[in-house]
Amino acid sequence: MPARGVPALTTFPYPELDNREEDHWSGAGISDDELRALALGAFYSTRWDAYHDAIMLGPEREHPLGDRRELAIDTLTGAWGITDGTEARASMEQLLEGMHAPLYALVHPLVMASINASERDRFGERADRHRAFLRQVGSFRGMDNPEALVRDYDIWAQAIKIGFTEHLARPLPNDIHAWDLARVVAVARMAFTAGYLEADMAWEYVMRALPPAQRRYRNWRQFGDAYLAGWTYWQATEDLAELKNGGVDRRMELLRLWTRPTSPWRRIELNDKPEPQNESPADEPE
């Protein structure tokens, strides 16, 4: 019987996960830490059918939208508004500092306090207090629109209540830095492939993402759960309809990374030291 709060895992293989291409490995001679750092973005390597062990988004293949370089340029422009190396570096610096993670750290505990309150307030006084607090925080931080935090609060509460977070681990992670750190690696690889960054600069950003990931997460399970919670939070604030369909799909991709023998998450551990036995997991409050 599985432990309480831990979803039961069925045995490998998962046939529904094997419809995609095999994991791609270039055989590049990189260090263990370089592989760990690249593996922070393994979700994107899998989605792109790209090498797990190279900074370039190879292997090359025919595609109706163009070659790898054209696809990288198109994605950086369309999804990120990045058109050169300066903008790529600025986005990665913001991700390293925390792009969505600090917002989630403010909003999520308040939402959970409201949802899990033992005494339900009939007229929503608790939620009103939370909204007032978030407005104050937004104003204190000089946000252009202090109501943005209130909007995130209401949308995240709605997403949880209507079941659009059912694909996430329970209890819901309190930390989503994995979402930001995985995207550092993704942007670095795309910017290099696009020709916006030299290899040394791209590797520098990839490697900078590894220490904070290792400090926050003991293993790839925790990292993946936090990554998916981050994507879910972001997608909820962007388009709830897309979240309804996309969450389960991304969960299946993570299962593929956790279970397939050729996955980078099976080839190397996130941390090279034994996991501590008496510390609280990253997704539990200390």
Side-chain angles (χ1 to χ4, degrees), residues 24-285:
H24 293 286
W25 295 90
S26 70
I30 61 175
S31 70
D32 285 352
D33 274 348
E34 287 171 335
L35 178 56
R36 289 186 178 96
L38 285 174
L40 299 177
F43 180 91
Y44 300 99
S45 298
T46 301
R47 279 292 177 102
W48 296 328
D49 294 316
Y51 290 131
H52 289 301
D53 58 344
I55 199 76
M56 177 70 76
L57 291 177
E60 194 58 78
R61 79 238 351 264
E62 292 184 7
H63 193 283
L65 298 180
D67 61 17
R68 290 286 198 183
R69 179 174 182 273
E70 292 170 323
L71 287 170
I73 291 172
D74 183 69
T75 303
L76 287 171
T77 302
W80 290 87
I82 293 172
T83 59
D84 58 31
T86 299
E87 292 173 346
R89 291 193 297 272
S91 293
M92 289 186 289
E93 290 291 347
Q94 188 178 359
L95 287 166
L96 286 166
E97 291 176 4
M99 184 177 288
H100 291 105
L103 302 178
Y104 181 85
L106 276 172
V107 169
H108 177 67
L110 296 178
V111 169
M112 296 309 296
S114 178
I115 290 176
N116 296 327
S118 57
E119 296 181 4
R120 302 288 180 177
D121 51 334
R122 290 193 307 163
F123 304 105
E125 291 94 342
R126 183 187 300 269
D128 286 341
R129 291 196 300 270
H130 290 165
R131 294 185 187 100
F133 169 74
L134 290 171
R135 289 188 185 98
Q136 290 178 337
V137 171
S139 297
F140 177 77
R141 295 188 175 186
M143 295 178 64
D144 293 336
N145 179 17
E147 287 295 319
L149 285 174
V150 175
R151 173 182 172 273
D152 285 5
Y153 173 89
D154 289 335
I155 291 175
W156 188 234
Q158 181 185 12
I160 294 173
K161 289 175 182 178
I162 62 181
F164 282 8
T165 63
E166 292 302 309
H167 56 278
L168 298 179
R170 292 295 190 275
L172 294 177
N174 289 328
D175 175 294
I176 63 166
H177 279 83
W179 166 239
D180 289 339
L181 296 172
R183 291 183 296 161
V184 173
V185 178
V187 171
R189 296 187 68 187
M190 286 190 291
F192 173 69
T193 303
Y196 296 161
L197 296 179
E198 297 294 330
D200 289 348
M201 179 63 68
W203 269 115
E204 178 182 330
Y205 277 100
V206 168
M207 297 307 295
R208 283 175 62 187
L210 181 60
Q214 291 177 317
R215 287 195 300 269
R216 291 181 177 277
Y217 310 105
R218 294 200 307 236
N219 51 49
W220 292 119
R221 183 77 190 204
Q222 287 185 355
F223 182 87
D225 283 339
Y227 167 85
L228 187 58
W231 175 84
T232 303
Y233 176 77
W234 167 79
Q235 189 62 71
T237 61
E238 292 289 318
D239 187 344
L240 271 175
E242 178 64 25
L243 173 59
K244 181 179 180 181
N245 301 317
V248 173
D249 177 65
R250 288 190 172 239
R251 183 73 182 180
M252 295 297 284
E253 291 283 10
L254 289 175
L255 282 172
R256 184 176 188 269
L257 284 166
W258 283 324
T259 59
R260 282 176 63 118
T262 56
S263 161
W265 289 3
R266 295 289 300 277
R267 181 168 291 195
I268 196 165
E269 297 288 344
L270 174 58
N271 288 282
D272 60 355
K273 298 178 181 179
E275 294 183 16
Q277 298 299 313
N278 299 316
E279 293 185 10
S280 299
D283 57 358
E284 294 182 3

